[in-house]
Coordinates of all heavy atoms in Angstrom, one line a residue:
M1 N 37.1 -54.4 42.8 CA 38.3 -53.7 42.2 C 38.2 -52.2 42.6 O 37.2 -51.6 42.4 CB 38.3 -53.9 40.7 CG 39.3 -53.0 40.0 SD 39.7 -53.6 38.3 CE 38.2 -53.3 37.4
V2 N 39.3 -51.7 43.1 CA 39.3 -50.3 43.5 C 40.3 -49.6 42.6 O 41.5 -50.0 42.6 CB 39.7 -50.2 45.0 CG1 39.8 -48.7 45.3 CG2 38.7 -50.9 45.9
K3 N 39.9 -48.6 41.9 CA 40.8 -47.9 41.0 C 41.6 -46.9 41.9 O 40.9 -46.2 42.7 CB 40.1 -47.2 39.9 CG 41.1 -46.5 39.0 CD 40.4 -46.2 37.6 CE 41.5 -45.7 36.6 NZ 41.4 -44.3 36.3
I4 N 42.9 -46.8 41.8 CA 43.6 -45.9 42.6 C 43.7 -44.6 41.8 O 44.2 -44.5 40.7 CB 45.1 -46.4 42.8 CG1 45.0 -47.8 43.5 CG2 45.9 -45.4 43.7 CD1 46.3 -48.6 43.5
E5 N 43.1 -43.5 42.4 CA 42.9 -42.3 41.7 C 43.9 -41.2 41.9 O 44.1 -40.3 41.1 CB 41.5 -41.7 42.1 CG 40.3 -42.6 41.8 CD 39.9 -42.7 40.4 OE1 40.5 -42.0 39.5 OE2 38.9 -43.4 40.1
S6 N 44.7 -41.3 43.0 CA 45.6 -40.3 43.3 C 46.9 -40.9 43.8 O 46.9 -42.0 44.3 CB 45.1 -39.3 44.3 OG 45.0 -39.9 45.6
V7 N 48.0 -40.1 43.7 CA 49.3 -40.6 44.2 C 49.3 -40.7 45.7 O 49.9 -41.6 46.2 CB 50.4 -39.7 43.6 CG1 50.5 -38.4 44.4 CG2 51.7 -40.4 43.6
E8 N 48.5 -39.9 46.4 CA 48.4 -40.0 47.8 C 47.7 -41.4 48.2 O 48.2 -42.1 49.1 CB 47.5 -38.9 48.4 CG 48.1 -37.5 48.4 CD 48.1 -36.9 47.0 OE1 47.3 -37.3 46.2 OE2 48.9 -36.0 46.8
E9 N 46.7 -41.7 47.4 CA 46.0 -43.0 47.6 C 47.0 -44.2 47.4 O 47.1 -45.1 48.2 CB 44.9 -43.1 46.6 CG 43.7 -43.8 47.1 CD 42.6 -43.8 46.1 OE1 42.4 -42.8 45.4 OE2 41.9 -44.8 46.0
L10 N 47.8 -44.1 46.3 CA 48.8 -45.1 46.0 C 49.8 -45.2 47.2 O 50.2 -46.3 47.6 CB 49.5 -44.7 44.7 CG 50.6 -45.7 44.3 CD1 50.0 -47.0 43.8 CD2 51.4 -45.1 43.1
R11 N 50.2 -44.1 47.7 CA 51.2 -44.1 48.8 C 50.6 -44.8 50.0 O 51.3 -45.6 50.6 CB 51.6 -42.6 49.1 CG 52.9 -42.5 49.8 CD 53.3 -41.0 49.9 NE 53.5 -40.4 48.6 CZ 53.4 -39.1 48.3 NH1 53.0 -38.3 49.3 NH2 53.6 -38.6 47.1
K12 N 49.4 -44.5 50.3 CA 48.7 -45.1 51.5 C 48.7 -46.6 51.3 O 48.9 -47.4 52.3 CB 47.3 -44.6 51.7 CG 47.3 -43.3 52.6 CD 45.9 -42.9 52.8 CE 45.8 -41.4 53.2 NZ 44.5 -40.8 52.8
I13 N 48.3 -47.0 50.1 CA 48.2 -48.5 49.8 C 49.5 -49.2 50.0 O 49.7 -50.2 50.6 CB 47.6 -48.7 48.4 CG1 46.1 -48.4 48.5 CG2 47.8 -50.1 47.9 CD1 45.4 -48.3 47.2
K14 N 50.6 -48.5 49.4 CA 51.9 -49.1 49.6 C 52.3 -49.2 51.0 O 52.9 -50.2 51.4 CB 52.9 -48.2 48.8 CG 52.8 -48.4 47.3 CD 53.7 -47.4 46.5 CE 55.1 -47.8 46.7 NZ 56.0 -47.2 45.6
E15 N 52.0 -48.2 51.8 CA 52.4 -48.2 53.2 C 51.6 -49.2 54.0 O 52.0 -49.8 55.0 CB 52.2 -46.8 53.9 CG 53.3 -45.9 53.5 CD 53.0 -44.4 53.8 OE1 51.9 -44.2 54.4 OE2 53.8 -43.6 53.4
S16 N 50.3 -49.5 53.6 CA 49.5 -50.4 54.3 C 50.0 -51.9 54.2 O 49.8 -52.7 55.1 CB 48.1 -50.4 53.7 OG 48.0 -51.1 52.5
D17 N 50.7 -52.2 53.1 CA 51.3 -53.5 53.0 C 50.3 -54.6 53.0 O 50.5 -55.6 53.6 CB 52.4 -53.7 54.0 CG 53.3 -54.9 53.7 OD1 53.3 -55.3 52.5 OD2 54.1 -55.3 54.6
F18 N 49.1 -54.3 52.4 CA 48.0 -55.3 52.5 C 47.4 -55.3 51.1 O 47.0 -54.3 50.5 CB 47.0 -54.9 53.5 CG 45.8 -55.8 53.5 CD1 45.9 -57.1 54.0 CD2 44.6 -55.4 53.0 CE1 44.8 -57.9 54.0 CE2 43.5 -56.2 53.0 CZ 43.6 -57.5 53.5
G19 N 47.2 -56.5 50.6 CA 46.6 -56.7 49.3 C 47.5 -56.6 48.1 O 48.8 -56.8 48.3
F20 N 47.0 -56.3 46.9 CA 47.8 -56.4 45.7 C 47.5 -55.2 44.8 O 46.3 -54.7 44.8 CB 47.5 -57.6 44.9 CG 47.8 -58.9 45.7 CD1 46.9 -59.5 46.5 CD2 49.1 -59.4 45.6 CE1 47.2 -60.6 47.3 CE2 49.4 -60.6 46.4 CZ 48.4 -61.1 47.2
V21 N 48.5 -54.7 44.1 CA 48.3 -53.6 43.1 C 48.4 -54.2 41.7 O 49.3 -55.0 41.4 CB 49.3 -52.5 43.3 CG1 49.2 -51.5 42.2 CG2 49.1 -51.8 44.7
I22 N 47.4 -54.0 40.9 CA 47.4 -54.5 39.6 C 47.6 -53.3 38.6 O 46.9 -52.3 38.7 CB 46.0 -55.2 39.2 CG1 45.5 -56.0 40.3 CG2 46.1 -55.9 37.9 CD1 46.1 -57.3 40.6
L23 N 48.5 -53.5 37.7 CA 48.7 -52.5 36.6 C 48.0 -52.9 35.4 O 48.3 -54.0 34.9 CB 50.2 -52.2 36.3 CG 51.0 -51.7 37.5 CD1 52.4 -51.3 37.0 CD2 50.4 -50.6 38.2
L24 N 47.0 -52.1 35.0 CA 46.2 -52.5 33.8 C 46.7 -51.6 32.6 O 46.7 -50.4 32.7 CB 44.8 -52.2 34.0 CG 43.9 -53.3 34.7 CD1 42.5 -52.8 34.7 CD2 44.0 -54.6 34.0
S25 N 47.0 -52.3 31.5 CA 47.3 -51.6 30.3 C 46.7 -52.4 29.1 O 45.9 -53.2 29.4 CB 48.8 -51.3 30.1 OG 49.5 -52.6 30.0
E26 N 47.2 -52.2 27.9 CA 46.7 -53.0 26.8 C 47.2 -54.4 26.8 O 46.6 -55.3 26.3 CB 47.0 -52.3 25.5 CG 46.1 -51.1 25.3 CD 46.4 -50.4 24.0 OE1 47.3 -50.8 23.2 OE2 45.8 -49.4 23.7
S27 N 48.3 -54.7 27.5 CA 48.8 -56.0 27.5 C 48.3 -56.7 28.8 O 47.4 -56.2 29.5 CB 50.4 -56.1 27.5 OG 50.9 -55.2 28.5
M28 N 48.8 -57.9 29.1 CA 48.2 -58.6 30.3 C 48.4 -57.9 31.6 O 49.5 -57.3 31.8 CB 48.9 -60.0 30.3 CG 48.1 -61.0 31.2 SD 49.0 -62.6 31.3 CE 48.6 -63.3 29.7
P29 N 47.4 -57.9 32.4 CA 47.5 -57.2 33.7 C 48.7 -57.7 34.5 O 48.9 -58.9 34.5 CB 46.2 -57.4 34.4 CG 45.3 -58.0 33.4 CD 46.1 -58.5 32.3
I30 N 49.4 -56.9 35.2 CA 50.5 -57.3 36.0 C 50.2 -57.1 37.5 O 49.7 -56.0 37.9 CB 51.8 -56.5 35.7 CG1 52.1 -56.7 34.2 CG2 53.0 -57.0 36.6 CD1 53.3 -55.9 33.7
I31 N 50.4 -58.2 38.3 CA 50.1 -58.1 39.7 C 51.3 -57.9 40.5 O 52.3 -58.6 40.3 CB 49.2 -59.3 40.1 CG1 48.8 -59.2 41.6 CG2 49.9 -60.6 39.9 CD1 47.7 -60.2 42.0
H32 N 51.2 -57.0 41.5 CA 52.4 -56.8 42.4 C 51.8 -56.8 43.9 O 50.7 -56.5 44.1 CB 52.9 -55.3 42.3 CG 53.5 -55.0 41.0 ND1 54.8 -55.2 40.7 CD2 52.9 -54.5 39.8 CE1 55.1 -54.8 39.4 NE2 53.9 -54.4 38.9
T33 N 52.7 -57.2 44.8 CA 52.4 -56.9 46.2 C 52.4 -55.4 46.4 O 53.1 -54.7 45.7 CB 53.4 -57.6 47.1 OG1 54.7 -57.2 46.8 CG2 53.3 -59.1 47.0
T34 N 51.7 -54.9 47.4 CA 51.6 -53.5 47.6 C 52.9 -52.8 47.9 O 53.1 -51.6 47.7 CB 50.6 -53.1 48.7 OG1 50.9 -53.9 49.9 CG2 49.2 -53.5 48.3
N35 N 53.8 -53.6 48.5 CA 55.1 -52.9 48.9 C 56.2 -53.1 47.8 O 57.4 -52.9 48.1 CB 55.6 -53.4 50.2 CG 55.8 -54.9 50.2 OD1 55.6 -55.6 49.2 ND2 56.2 -55.4 51.4
C36 N 55.8 -53.5 46.6 CA 56.8 -53.8 45.6 C 57.6 -52.5 45.2 O 57.0 -51.5 45.0 CB 56.2 -54.4 44.3 SG 57.3 -54.8 43.0
K37 N 58.9 -52.7 45.0 CA 59.7 -51.6 44.6 C 59.5 -51.1 43.2 O 60.0 -50.1 42.8 CB 61.2 -51.9 44.8 CG 61.6 -52.4 46.2 CD 62.5 -51.4 46.9 CE 62.9 -51.8 48.3 NZ 61.8 -52.3 49.2
L38 N 58.8 -51.9 42.4 CA 58.6 -51.5 41.0 C 57.3 -50.7 40.8 O 57.0 -50.5 39.7 CB 58.6 -52.8 40.1 CG 59.9 -53.5 40.0 CD1 59.8 -54.7 39.1 CD2 61.0 -52.6 39.4
I39 N 56.6 -50.4 41.8 CA 55.5 -49.5 41.7 C 56.0 -48.1 42.0 O 56.3 -47.8 43.1 CB 54.4 -49.9 42.7 CG1 54.0 -51.3 42.5 CG2 53.1 -49.0 42.5 CD1 53.0 -51.9 43.6
F40 N 56.1 -47.3 41.0 CA 56.7 -46.0 41.1 C 55.6 -44.9 41.1 O 54.8 -44.9 40.2 CB 57.7 -45.7 40.0 CG 58.9 -46.7 40.0 CD1 59.0 -47.7 39.0 CD2 59.8 -46.6 40.9 CE1 60.1 -48.5 39.0 CE2 60.9 -47.5 40.9 CZ 61.0 -48.5 40.0
E41 N 55.8 -44.0 41.9 CA 54.8 -42.9 41.9 C 54.9 -42.0 40.6 O 54.0 -41.5 40.1 CB 55.1 -42.0 43.2 CG 54.6 -42.7 44.4 CD 54.9 -41.8 45.7 OE1 55.2 -40.7 45.6 OE2 54.7 -42.4 46.8
N42 N 56.2 -41.9 40.1 CA 56.4 -41.2 38.9 C 55.6 -41.9 37.7 O 55.0 -41.2 36.9 CB 57.8 -41.1 38.5 CG 58.5 -39.9 39.1 OD1 57.8 -39.0 39.6 ND2 59.8 -39.8 39.1
D43 N 55.7 -43.2 37.7 CA 54.9 -43.9 36.6 C 53.5 -43.6 36.7 O 52.7 -43.4 35.7 CB 55.2 -45.4 36.7 CG 56.5 -45.8 36.2 OD1 57.2 -44.9 35.6 OD2 56.9 -47.0 36.3
F44 N 53.0 -43.6 38.0 CA 51.6 -43.4 38.2 C 51.2 -42.0 37.6 O 50.2 -41.9 37.0 CB 51.3 -43.5 39.7 CG 49.8 -43.2 40.0 CD1 48.9 -44.2 40.0 CD2 49.4 -41.9 40.4 CE1 47.6 -44.0 40.3 CE2 48.1 -41.7 40.7 CZ 47.2 -42.7 40.6
L45 N 52.0 -41.0 37.9 CA 51.7 -39.7 37.5 C 51.8 -39.5 36.0 O 51.0 -38.8 35.4 CB 52.6 -38.7 38.2 CG 52.3 -38.6 39.7 CD1 53.4 -37.8 40.4 CD2 51.0 -37.9 40.0
Q46 N 52.8 -40.1 35.4 CA 53.1 -39.9 34.0 C 52.3 -40.8 33.0 O 52.0 -40.4 31.9 CB 54.6 -40.1 33.7 CG 55.4 -38.9 34.3 CD 56.9 -39.2 34.3 OE1 57.3 -40.1 33.7 NE2 57.6 -38.4 35.0
N47 N 52.0 -42.0 33.5 CA 51.5 -43.0 32.5 C 50.0 -43.3 32.8 O 49.5 -44.3 32.4 CB 52.2 -44.3 32.6 CG 53.7 -44.1 32.2 OD1 54.0 -43.2 31.4 ND2 54.5 -45.0 32.7
N48 N 49.4 -42.4 33.6 CA 48.0 -42.7 34.0 C 47.0 -42.9 32.8 O 46.0 -43.6 33.0 CB 47.5 -41.6 34.9 CG 46.8 -42.2 36.1 OD1 46.7 -43.4 36.2 ND2 46.2 -41.3 36.9
K49 N 47.4 -42.3 31.7 CA 46.4 -42.5 30.5 C 46.6 -43.9 29.9 O 45.6 -44.4 29.4 CB 46.7 -41.4 29.5 CG 46.1 -40.1 30.0 CD 46.2 -39.0 29.0 CE 45.7 -37.7 29.6 NZ 46.8 -36.7 29.6
I50 N 47.8 -44.4 29.9 CA 48.0 -45.7 29.2 C 47.9 -46.9 30.1 O 47.7 -48.0 29.7 CB 49.3 -45.8 28.3 CG1 50.5 -45.3 29.2 CG2 49.1 -44.9 27.1 CD1 51.8 -45.6 28.5
Q51 N 48.1 -46.6 31.4 CA 48.1 -47.7 32.4 C 47.4 -47.2 33.7 O 47.7 -46.2 34.2 CB 49.5 -48.3 32.5 CG 50.1 -48.3 33.9 CD 51.5 -48.7 33.9 OE1 51.9 -49.7 33.3 NE2 52.4 -48.0 34.5
S52 N 46.5 -48.0 34.1 CA 45.8 -47.6 35.4 C 46.2 -48.6 36.5 O 46.6 -49.7 36.2 CB 44.3 -47.6 35.2 OG 43.8 -48.8 34.7
H53 N 46.1 -48.1 37.7 CA 46.5 -48.9 38.9 C 45.2 -49.2 39.7 O 44.3 -48.4 39.9 CB 47.4 -48.0 39.8 CG 48.7 -47.7 39.3 ND1 48.9 -47.1 38.1 CD2 50.0 -48.0 39.8 CE1 50.2 -47.0 37.9 NE2 50.9 -47.5 38.9
H54 N 45.1 -50.5 40.1 CA 44.0 -50.9 40.8 C 44.4 -51.7 42.0 O 45.5 -52.3 42.0 CB 43.1 -51.8 39.9 CG 42.6 -51.1 38.7 ND1 41.4 -50.5 38.7 CD2 43.2 -50.9 37.5 CE1 41.2 -50.0 37.5 NE2 42.3 -50.2 36.8
W55 N 43.6 -51.7 43.1 CA 43.9 -52.5 44.3 C 42.9 -53.6 44.5 O 41.7 -53.4 44.3 CB 43.9 -51.5 45.5 CG 44.2 -52.2 46.8 CD1 45.4 -52.5 47.2 CD2 43.3 -52.7 47.7 NE1 45.3 -53.2 48.4 CE2 44.0 -53.3 48.7 CE3 41.9 -52.8 47.8 CZ2 43.4 -54.0 49.8 CZ3 41.3 -53.4 48.9 CH2 42.0 -54.0 49.9
F56 N 43.4 -54.7 44.8 CA 42.5 -55.9 45.2 C 43.0 -56.4 46.6 O 44.2 -56.4 46.8 CB 42.6 -57.0 44.2 CG 41.9 -56.8 42.9 CD1 42.5 -56.1 41.9 CD2 40.6 -57.2 42.8 CE1 41.9 -55.9 40.7 CE2 39.9 -57.0 41.6 CZ 40.6 -56.3 40.5
S57 N 42.1 -56.9 47.4 CA 42.5 -57.4 48.7 C 43.2 -58.8 48.5 O 44.1 -59.1 49.3 CB 41.3 -57.5 49.6 OG 40.3 -58.2 49.1
T58 N 42.7 -59.6 47.5 CA 43.3 -60.9 47.4 C 43.6 -61.2 45.9 O 43.0 -60.6 45.0 CB 42.4 -62.0 47.9 OG1 41.3 -62.2 47.0 CG2 41.9 -61.8 49.3
H59 N 44.6 -62.1 45.7 CA 45.0 -62.5 44.4 C 43.8 -63.2 43.7 O 43.6 -62.9 42.5 CB 46.1 -63.6 44.6 CG 47.0 -63.8 43.4 ND1 46.5 -64.3 42.2 CD2 48.3 -63.6 43.2 CE1 47.5 -64.4 41.3 NE2 48.6 -64.0 41.9
L60 N 43.1 -64.0 44.4 CA 41.9 -64.7 43.8 C 40.9 -63.7 43.3 O 40.4 -63.9 42.2 CB 41.3 -65.6 44.9 CG 40.3 -66.7 44.4 CD1 41.1 -67.7 43.5 CD2 39.6 -67.4 45.5
L61 N 40.6 -62.7 44.0 CA 39.6 -61.7 43.6 C 40.0 -61.1 42.3 O 39.2 -60.8 41.4 CB 39.4 -60.7 44.7 CG 38.3 -60.9 45.7 CD1 38.3 -59.8 46.8 CD2 36.9 -61.0 45.1
A62 N 41.3 -60.7 42.3 CA 41.9 -60.1 41.1 C 41.7 -61.0 39.9 O 41.3 -60.6 38.8 CB 43.3 -59.7 41.3
E63 N 42.0 -62.3 40.1 CA 42.0 -63.2 39.0 C 40.5 -63.4 38.5 O 40.3 -63.5 37.3 CB 42.5 -64.6 39.4 CG 43.8 -64.9 38.7 CD 44.4 -66.2 39.3 OE1 43.9 -66.8 40.3 OE2 45.5 -66.5 38.8
K64 N 39.6 -63.4 39.5 CA 38.2 -63.6 39.1 C 37.7 -62.5 38.2 O 37.0 -62.7 37.3 CB 37.3 -63.6 40.4 CG 37.0 -65.0 40.9 CD 36.0 -64.9 42.0 CE 35.7 -66.2 42.6 NZ 35.0 -66.1 43.9
E65 N 38.1 -61.3 38.5 CA 37.7 -60.1 37.8 C 38.4 -59.9 36.5 O 37.8 -59.5 35.5 CB 37.8 -58.9 38.7 CG 36.9 -57.7 38.1 CD 36.5 -56.8 39.2 OE1 36.3 -57.2 40.4 OE2 36.2 -55.6 38.9
L66 N 39.7 -60.2 36.5 CA 40.5 -59.8 35.3 C 41.0 -61.0 34.5 O 41.5 -60.8 33.4 CB 41.7 -59.0 35.8 CG 41.4 -57.7 36.6 CD1 42.7 -57.1 37.2 CD2 40.8 -56.7 35.7
G67 N 40.8 -62.2 35.0 CA 41.3 -63.3 34.2 C 42.8 -63.5 34.5 O 43.3 -63.3 35.6
D68 N 43.5 -63.9 33.4 CA 44.9 -64.2 33.6 C 45.7 -63.0 34.0 O 45.6 -61.9 33.5 CB 45.5 -64.8 32.3 CG 45.1 -66.2 32.1 OD1 44.7 -66.9 33.1 OD2 45.2 -66.7 31.0
L69 N 46.6 -63.2 35.0 CA 47.5 -62.2 35.5 C 48.9 -62.6 35.3 O 49.2 -63.8 35.4 CB 47.2 -61.9 36.9 CG 45.8 -61.5 37.4 CD1 45.7 -61.6 38.9 CD2 45.4 -60.2 36.8
K70 N 49.7 -61.6 35.0 CA 51.1 -61.8 35.0 C 51.7 -61.4 36.3 O 51.4 -60.3 36.8 CB 51.7 -61.0 33.8 CG 53.1 -61.4 33.4 CD 53.4 -60.6 32.1 CE 54.8 -60.3 31.9 NZ 55.1 -59.5 30.8
S71 N 52.5 -62.3 36.9 CA 53.1 -61.9 38.2 C 54.4 -61.1 38.0 O 55.2 -61.4 37.1 CB 53.5 -63.2 39.0 OG 52.4 -63.7 39.6
C72 N 54.5 -60.1 38.8 CA 55.8 -59.3 38.7 C 57.0 -60.2 39.0 O 56.9 -61.0 39.8 CB 55.7 -58.2 39.8 SG 57.2 -57.3 40.1
K73 N 58.0 -59.9 38.2 CA 59.2 -60.8 38.4 C 60.0 -60.5 39.7 O 60.7 -61.3 40.2 CB 60.2 -60.5 37.2 CG 59.7 -61.2 35.9 CD 60.8 -61.3 34.9 CE 60.3 -61.9 33.6 NZ 59.9 -60.9 32.6
L74 N 59.8 -59.3 40.2 CA 60.5 -59.0 41.4 C 59.8 -59.4 42.7 O 60.3 -60.2 43.5 CB 60.7 -57.4 41.5 CG 61.5 -57.0 42.7 CD1 63.0 -57.4 42.7 CD2 61.4 -55.4 42.8
C75 N 58.5 -59.0 42.9 CA 57.8 -59.4 44.1 C 57.1 -60.8 44.0 O 56.8 -61.4 45.0 CB 56.8 -58.3 44.5 SG 55.5 -58.0 43.3
N76 N 56.9 -61.2 42.8 CA 56.4 -62.5 42.5 C 55.2 -63.0 43.4 O 55.4 -64.0 44.1 CB 57.5 -63.5 42.6 CG 57.2 -64.9 41.9 OD1 56.3 -64.9 41.1 ND2 57.8 -65.9 42.4
P77 N 54.1 -62.2 43.4 CA 53.0 -62.6 44.3 C 52.3 -63.9 43.9 O 52.4 -64.3 42.8 CB 52.1 -61.4 44.1 CG 52.3 -60.8 42.8 CD 53.8 -61.1 42.5
Ligands
ZN101 ZN1 56.2 -56.3 41.8

């Protein structure tokens, strides 16, 4: 699991179009493809305290580490 620490890092990951971005908060983690339109840089900047962004190379790895994941309704990974 790689925690995304900066908005520049988030941007690079989105552009790479490889792997998955997981949003972690108090509810179930949500998994997105890296190019999902619902991953907003503004959310990253504003909500960093209540929700963190992480990157995984595969869906399986994310599941192994975090358990049950909720799939984003838009990108539906
Ligand atoms: Zn999504």
Side-chain angles (χ1 to χ4, degrees):
M1 173 161 66
V2 178
K3 184 160 191 252
I4 304 168
E5 304 278 4
S6 68
V7 76
E8 289 77 20
E9 215 177 322
L10 179 69
R11 204 170 294 153
K12 272 186 204 153
I13 286 169
K14 288 175 69 159
E15 285 167 2
S16 77
D17 197 12
F18 176 72
F20 299 90
V21 172
I22 318 289
L23 299 191
L24 274 185
S25 62
E26 282 178 3
S27 49
M28 198 183 279
I30 302 174
I31 184 165
H32 295 271
T33 56
T34 51
N35 61 358
C36 180
K37 303 247 181 316
L38 291 181
I39 305 170
F40 297 109
E41 290 179 6
N42 270 348
D43 284 353
F44 179 85
L45 291 169
Q46 285 167 15
N47 300 331
N48 223 4
K49 284 186 186 116
I50 51 169
Q51 121 187 311
S52 57
H53 292 57
H54 300 265
W55 179 84
F56 285 89
S57 55
T58 70
H59 199 295
L60 193 67
L61 272 175
E63 248 174 359
K64 261 190 188 165
E65 195 151 336
L66 300 171
D68 282 342
L69 302 171
K70 195 168 149 187
S71 284
C72 166
K73 286 197 179 95
L74 181 69
C75 61
N76 194 28

